[in-house]
Amino acid sequence: MRNLFTAAVAAAALFSGPALAQAAGGLEVAQAWSRPAVAGMNGAGYMTIRNHGKAAQTLVKVESPAARKVEMHRTVTSGGVARMEPVARLAVPAGGEARLAPGGNHLMLIGLTEPLKSGQRVPVTLTFASGVELKAHLVVGTAAPGHEDHSAHHH
């Protein structure tokens, strides 16, 4: 059974598009992106983390060579004022997903070591409480991959 599962994961990895990270422990990252930003400033990371496994997973750490440190934040609105507060853990329910998106949960890339330029791929490593490590790339652009404005491409 174990080998069958491994083969299924390997097969799934073959067919996944470039915006998908490999499925490790039933986890997969899709639509990972970041907006352009200047070196020394902070960047933001967005993605959908899907959990195809039978057990809930909890994201506990994110690292990237492009930033001094990466924190998980959520946007909290009270009295019409939005503010960000750090989140230590992010749950990804079994058979469900966690969405990191503008105006909600997101990654803060604090102290960028290099500018984030459009089209660039920024490596990130997600570590879960279960010990699973998932490597992904944030595609730098003004919107999620596959949702960019195509009218800008006509020359």
Side-chain angles (χ1 to χ4, degrees):
M1 186 68 201
R2 183 102 188 105
N3 290 345
L4 185 70
F5 175 72
T6 306
V9 169
L14 290 175
F15 297 109
S16 63
L20 292 174
Q22 70 273 30
L27 290 161
E28 140 191 289
V29 170
Q31 299 279 322
W33 65 287
S34 180
R35 290 194 172 105
V38 183
M41 300 296 286
N42 297 340
Y46 311 109
M47 64 184 65
T48 298
I49 304 168
R50 297 194 181 114
N51 182 354
H52 301 290
K54 300 267 187 283
Q57 295 274 0
T58 306
L59 180 61
V60 293
K61 186 169 78 169
V62 183
E63 295 169 293
S64 173
R68 212 173 61 244
K69 71 176 181 170
V70 181
E71 290 181 355
M72 294 176 279
H73 282 200
R74 64 184 184 142
T75 306
V76 181
T77 306
S78 62
V81 178
R83 64 175 204 284
M84 284 180 276
E85 58 184 43
V87 180
R89 304 162 75 80
L90 184 69
V92 188
E97 61 182 35
R99 297 176 70 88
L100 300 169
N105 291 329
H106 56 280
L107 302 177
M108 282 302 296
L109 284 67
I110 297 169
L112 292 171
T113 55
E114 57 190 76
L116 303 185
K117 297 187 175 83
S118 260
Q120 193 177 352
R121 292 164 59 83
V122 180
V124 290
T125 302
L126 312 179
T127 304
F128 294 84
S130 62
V132 170
E133 275 198 356
L134 195 57
K135 294 195 182 303
H137 284 89
L138 302 173
V139 178
V140 181
T142 51
H147 292 282
E148 61 274 354
D149 177 15
H150 292 289
S151 64
H153 297 292
H154 299 299
H155 294 292

